[in-house]
Amino acid sequence: MPPHAGEPAESRTLAIMVDNEPGVLARVVGLFSARGYNIESLTVAETDKSAHTSRITVVTRGEPNIIDQIKSQLDRIVSVRNVIDVTRDPAGVQRELALVKVRSTGADRIEALRVSEIFRAKVIDTTLESFIFEMTGASDKVDAFIDLVRPIGLVEVSRTGVLSIHRGPELDRVSTADAAASA
Amino acid sequence: MTTTSNIAQIHPASEPASLVGIPMTGAEMVVRAMKDHGVDTLFGYPGGAVLPIYDALFSDEDVRHILVRHEQGAGHAAEGYARSTGKVGCALVTSGPGATNMVTPLADALLDSIPMVVITGQVATHLIGTDAFQECDTVGITRSCTKHNWLVSSVDELSAILHEAFYVARSGRPGPVVVDIPKDVQFATGMYLPPERSPKRSKRTVRHVDAARIAEAAELMATAQKPVFYTGGGVINAGPRASEALRALVRETGFPITSTLMGLGAFPAPDKQWLGMLGMHGSWESNHAMHDCDLMICVGARFDDRVTGRLDAFSPNSKKIHIDIDPSSINKNVRVDVPIIADAAEALEKLLVAWRNRAKKAKPPSIKAWWDQIEGWRKRKGFAYRPSHELIKPQYAIERLYELTRGKDVYITTEVGQHQMWAAQYFHFDKPNHWMSSGGLGTMGYGLPAALGVQAAHPDALVIDIAGEASVQMTMQEMSTAVQHRLPIKIFILNNEWMGMVRQWQQLLHGERYSHSYSHALPDFVKMAEAFGCVGIRAEKPDELDTKIVQMINEPGPVLFDCRVAKEENCFPMIPSGKPHNEMILADTFVGDEIDDDGKKLV
């Protein structure tokens, strides 16, 4: 039997450090689609120009054995330098940015502003009948904010997907595939 | 030819010394890099987008170019070359259709971990993305069937990419790579840096064998009562050292050993400890040993579905040691107890030392009872078949081919289907790199061009493609290549007029409805051979088989042998789809209702 088979699926955030070269995102995303893995969110940008490094953050969902497979399959890609399991890292920080458009008039406008203050969301655009809020936080906090403004008049949401980084002074450079192999 | 005296002296003093290069065109760099990486044979087909490279080859005397008749042939020939030498195989094709025709060999080499560098031409950089003539998105199309690929955007990065391509192809778990070179880059002049001075572009993973895991493995081996070695293509890929270490370890432990299709030859088949190939059409004794063992030592194999049968009933009572160079192979299909991530040669050598030290401390238990059990399975004679005086049985044909070629330097390639399994069952190998078969992808049409690659690497050897009449028609145009390049391959067709394995599955799984698996129009293979300039031989009766096989062996040029065999023979033993190892069916117990509805859904 595959390891941990039958254990419940869980959501995991993986930070994938890659060589910043043409087609690298296609390699990573292609691996997920070719092997039938899930992508719940995806962010990518160059993070170190001098070292030609980009950071791809993927939130995926699967049973623990599938997550282990995803990590070691990612590590096989030549352009992937290392893979960090942010969820398993006690010092891993995850944040997401959302733009939320709410349409409301009268007392509802006051309510919308009150909720936004609680969540420390910023108003970045307003008309006589609408607001756009910008808020940052962990994904569940973003979800909670959206749930609260929905009855007030939620129109549209745009989210970046999860970004991550490691707390403390060190660089995020531990390859999980190597760690798993020696565990 | 460019010589070292042409080394550029013009670089400014402030430039680092590593930038000193040899000026040449991109096309010349391709040829030069091949030579620097030891390529002596190249398989290819010219076309518009690679003409500059062909121009560079025109006056070259060091690289032998073998002109194939279809790009797929170049790919499989490069694979055959690689498998039989342990070196990187190399192919050169043009853009568009040249590249797409290469997709099958790339996928084949990826699944079987064969090191291969394929150079493809591409339309000029300013035309990319304009749907130009013979343009296709080669790196896009080949991304999922290569270990890595590159589109070269400038001649300045070409030599580094070429060196990287050879490194990636042969390092770690080997595999195919593609370097896609636009035509203007081939014409452009730049500085060529030799491999040792070229910048390293990708990660270099250095793995050290975990000593604690080796000790743990040795301890399990020294206390096992029913151990079995299960070895695969990784042992072959790790080179002759790995096979040597494996032989020593198996002999010193006295354990039985079986192997996958890919691993045949790493351990000598005539040996008493050899149980034969395992898996769907493996031997009765090897599959039973796998099912009943208490310790499985897997070396360079990947628990593929053709080997495991039903996963939840796979070897239920064993501890499992798994040696593999690729961490993603560990725990992929089957959970193992002791994973060892390492090159097979290094791991086996360390395991041998650990075993010796452990055996000195306390004598391992006798495994005689286990061998007695195995002897019982051997007595069942799972490969027995009903002989015939009227018809050539396919199994008999392979047995005779094996007997009559013994003692010669024989290399066997195969196509895919029943004949492939019979070849694996009835032909025996005692050396690695002498058996070339498409295992993972199962590519019909592989064997003939692969044989060309093997013969090019071993001009004096006897190279035989054991084929089926259906498979061979997929790449038979390469007979013309064999004639042109004086590659005296022998194509031994087991001709039963059916796509035999398809027919067998239709019989077992689809109520004997033989949908489109019979060839109602076959070529006259003898005449076809003659039309190509080969020798054609036909055998129809068992009593003429030996003479004709000897005639084939003695023929100095390429031969097509049309061996007419019993038409409706099935390939046994067989683990029916969806069944565990200990529920195999044999020729004499076969009823026809062995596969249930769930099994029918599997491939």
Side-chain angles (χ1 to χ4, degrees):
Chain A
M1 291 282 280
H4 327 294
E7 287 183 32
E10 55 185 68
S11 186
R12 290 268 196 108
T13 305
L14 304 177
I16 308 159
M17 308 300 180
V18 297
D19 295 332
N20 185 21
E21 57 184 26
V24 65
L25 181 62
R27 289 182 205 282
V28 170
V29 173
L31 185 147
F32 277 80
S33 66
R35 294 188 182 266
Y37 305 143
N38 295 311
I39 294 182
E40 294 189 338
S41 93
L42 173 74
T43 63
V44 54
E46 187 175 56
T47 50
D48 184 347
K49 210 173 183 71
S50 61
H52 295 288
T53 313
S54 289
R55 184 181 182 116
I56 299 175
T57 311
V58 175
V59 179
T60 183
R61 191 169 189 79
E63 295 161 13
N65 65 312
I66 299 293
I67 304 281
D68 288 346
Q69 259 299 299
I70 293 173
K71 287 191 281 188
S72 41
Q73 292 292 351
L74 283 168
D75 224 42
R76 286 176 76 189
I77 298 177
V78 171
S79 334
V80 169
R81 296 191 184 169
N82 60 20
V83 182
I84 297 154
D85 189 337
V86 180
T87 310
R88 282 286 171 94
D89 178 0
V93 181
Q94 302 183 46
R95 288 293 181 271
E96 195 178 359
L97 185 144
L99 300 177
V100 181
K101 187 180 285 182
V102 178
R103 185 170 189 160
S104 55
T105 50
D108 279 351
R109 283 176 72 81
I110 314 282
E111 180 61 14
L113 283 173
R114 201 190 334 256
V115 173
S116 73
E117 271 167 35
I118 296 169
F119 283 82
R120 285 187 221 117
K122 258 188 349 199
V123 177
I124 58 167
D125 176 72
T126 182
T127 66
L128 287 175
E129 50 179 342
S130 70
F131 291 114
I132 297 172
F133 296 108
E134 175 197 307
M135 80 152 296
T136 312
S139 296
D140 54 352
K141 194 176 151 195
V142 175
D143 291 341
F145 177 69
I146 292 167
D147 284 346
L148 283 171
V149 297
R150 179 171 287 116
I152 301 171
L154 180 71
V155 177
E156 196 175 12
V157 179
S158 177
R159 299 171 74 152
T160 56
V162 174
L163 291 174
S164 73
I165 203 159
H166 185 90
R167 277 184 219 275
E170 313 83 17
L171 216 61
D172 239 352
R173 279 289 154 86
V174 183
S175 168
T176 43
D178 285 345
S182 59
Chain B
M1 244 177 79
T2 315
T3 63
T4 44
S5 62
N6 288 353
I7 287 180
Q9 303 294 334
I10 48 168
H11 64 95
S14 59
E15 296 257 304
S18 64
L19 288 183
V20 180
I22 309 161
M24 61 178 83
T25 67
E28 287 165 344
M29 286 184 191
V30 172
V31 178
R32 181 61 183 262
M34 284 179 190
K35 289 191 224 178
D36 283 350
H37 290 277
V39 175
D40 51 18
T41 311
L42 171 65
F43 304 89
Y45 202 102
V50 279
L51 286 179
I53 300 173
Y54 272 87
D55 208 31
L57 283 169
F58 184 70
S59 53
D60 190 89
E61 289 174 357
D62 300 330
V63 178
R64 180 185 187 195
H65 180 273
I66 304 232
L67 175 67
V68 294
R69 297 300 182 266
H70 184 290
E71 288 88 352
Q72 184 188 356
H76 293 319
E79 283 189 88
Y81 177 93
R83 289 190 205 214
S84 67
T85 59
K87 290 158 64 177
V88 176
C90 204
L92 171 64
V93 297
T94 193
S95 63
T100 57
N101 281 342
M102 186 53 77
V103 167
T104 301
L106 289 169
D108 192 275
L110 185 66
L111 275 185
D112 284 349
S113 306
I114 307 303
M116 177 158 79
V117 172
V118 174
I119 310 286
T120 55
Q122 181 56 276
V123 300
T125 41
H126 72 277
L127 290 173
I128 290 178
T130 66
D131 300 324
F133 178 63
Q134 292 194 329
E135 181 189 357
C136 74
D137 176 13
T138 301
V139 288
I141 290 169
T142 61
R143 193 172 287 131
S144 59
C145 58
T146 51
K147 191 173 164 187
H148 198 65
N149 59 16
W150 295 263
L151 169 63
V152 183
S153 55
S154 152
V155 73
D156 299 330
E157 57 177 27
L158 180 57
S159 67
I161 288 178
L162 288 165
H163 301 320
E164 196 69 14
F166 280 92
Y167 170 79
V168 170
R170 65 171 184 262
S171 65
R173 180 177 179 174
V177 299
V178 165
V179 184
D180 195 28
I181 312 176
K183 197 171 180 182
D184 54 330
V185 174
Q186 299 170 33
F187 274 123
T189 300
M191 289 297 178
Y192 177 83
L193 286 172
E196 62 280 5
R197 284 196 284 134
S198 180
K200 307 286 179 284
R201 293 170 63 98
S202 66
K203 62 186 168 191
R204 298 288 192 268
T205 309
V206 182
R207 296 194 187 282
H208 299 288
V209 183
D210 186 338
R213 288 285 163 86
I214 293 282
E216 210 180 323
E219 184 60 33
L220 282 177
M221 287 167 67
T223 48
Q225 306 199 321
K226 300 190 205 180
V228 66
F229 278 100
Y230 150 45
T231 61
V235 181
I236 312 269
N237 270 339
R241 239 181 78 200
S243 295
E244 286 306 313
L246 177 69
R247 288 163 193 226
L249 185 62
V250 171
R251 295 218 169 98
E252 288 199 23
T253 54
F255 294 175
I257 173 169
T258 178
S259 154
T260 65
L261 181 80
M262 298 303 299
L264 297 178
F267 190 82
D271 196 284
K272 270 193 246 162
Q273 285 168 258
W274 173 247
L275 303 184
M277 179 180 77
L278 84 166
M280 184 172 272
H281 293 290
S283 73
W284 181 257
E285 50 270 34
S286 67
N287 284 330
H288 277 276
M290 287 287 280
H291 187 270
D292 283 16
C293 67
D294 67 357
L295 177 67
M296 181 183 294
I297 307 139
C298 171
V299 190
R302 58 185 176 93
F303 297 91
D304 156 84
D305 59 79
R306 281 294 178 277
V307 156
T308 60
R310 198 171 116 192
L311 267 182
D312 61 6
F314 173 71
S315 193
N317 303 314
S318 63
K319 292 261 185 194
K320 296 171 186 76
I321 299 166
H322 188 184
I323 299 172
D324 204 294
I325 199 162
D326 177 2
S328 79
S329 287
I330 307 281
N331 288 340
K332 183 172 68 177
N333 301 328
V334 170
R335 183 182 179 79
V336 298
D337 302 279
V338 184
I340 298 172
I341 295 167
D343 174 76
E346 198 186 344
L348 286 166
E349 282 167 2
K350 296 210 157 132
L351 198 50
L352 181 60
V353 174
W355 164 265
R356 283 175 182 159
N357 291 338
R358 175 58 182 77
K360 258 184 254 164
K361 273 188 224 151
K363 199 168 176 292
S366 160
I367 56 165
K368 185 175 176 305
W370 177 229
W371 272 113
D372 289 345
Q373 201 178 347
I374 290 169
E375 287 309 323
W377 289 320
R378 273 184 174 158
K379 287 205 181 91
R380 185 63 184 77
K381 297 201 182 304
F383 289 135
Y385 60 92
R386 197 183 297 275
S388 167
H389 291 294
E390 284 76 43
L391 297 168
I392 302 175
K393 287 294 184 108
Q395 302 94 326
Y396 176 75
I398 305 288
E399 281 180 333
R400 295 315 300 157
L401 186 66
Y402 173 62
E403 287 302 330
L404 295 168
T405 55
R406 274 183 98 157
K408 296 184 192 303
D409 189 21
V410 189
Y411 290 80
I412 299 290
T413 70
T414 73
E415 312 289 337
V416 168
Q418 284 185 322
H419 68 273
Q420 177 191 27
M421 292 298 112
W422 283 317
Q425 293 172 338
Y426 297 92
F427 209 97
H428 305 293
F429 300 90
D430 55 8
K431 282 188 285 237
N433 304 99
H434 282 61
W435 161 253
M436 271 64 51
S437 191
S438 170
L441 196 66
T443 310
M444 291 171 72
Y446 166 84
L448 202 171
L452 296 176
V454 177
Q455 189 82 73
H458 309 276
D460 300 323
L462 176 60
V463 182
I464 305 172
D465 168 29
I466 296 178
E469 84 292 336
S471 283
V472 80
Q473 288 185 81
M474 289 202 174
T475 48
M476 64 187 179
Q477 72 281 356
E478 302 303 340
M479 289 166 66
S480 183
T481 309
V483 173
Q484 177 177 342
H485 295 278
R486 300 177 193 275
L487 300 168
I489 59 167
K490 317 298 176 199
I491 305 157
F492 190 81
I493 303 174
L494 296 180
N495 181 354
N496 59 8
E497 299 175 12
W498 287 92
M499 292 160 213
M501 196 60 95
V502 173
R503 191 205 57 73
Q504 178 169 342
W505 279 55
Q506 288 173 334
Q507 181 186 353
L508 268 57
L509 277 77
H510 295 276
E512 304 185 25
R513 292 179 295 281
Y514 299 116
S515 183
H516 305 281
S517 52
Y518 183 74
S519 304
H520 287 277
L522 281 173
D524 179 328
F525 284 110
V526 171
K527 281 188 186 159
M528 189 180 90
E530 287 163 359
F532 274 106
C534 302
V535 171
I537 299 173
R538 178 172 294 126
E540 290 171 297
K541 296 281 172 220
D543 56 12
E544 61 176 352
L545 186 60
D546 280 16
T547 324
K548 297 206 162 167
I549 289 177
V550 171
Q551 185 194 341
M552 173 185 85
I553 296 168
N554 292 336
E555 197 61 57
V559 178
L560 188 85
F561 192 111
D562 182 16
C563 185
R564 299 296 184 93
V565 297
K567 290 193 194 345
E568 275 142 28
E569 194 75 9
N570 279 332
C571 190
F572 289 121
M574 180 177 183
I575 304 176
S577 300
K579 298 283 184 187
H581 280 170
N582 61 347
E583 291 183 37
M584 299 184 85
I585 45 178
L586 291 169
D588 56 2
T589 59
F590 164 61
V591 193
D593 61 351
E594 281 84 356
I595 301 175
D596 57 26
D597 286 346
D598 283 341
K600 285 178 187 168
K601 290 177 198 147
L602 303 169
V603 286

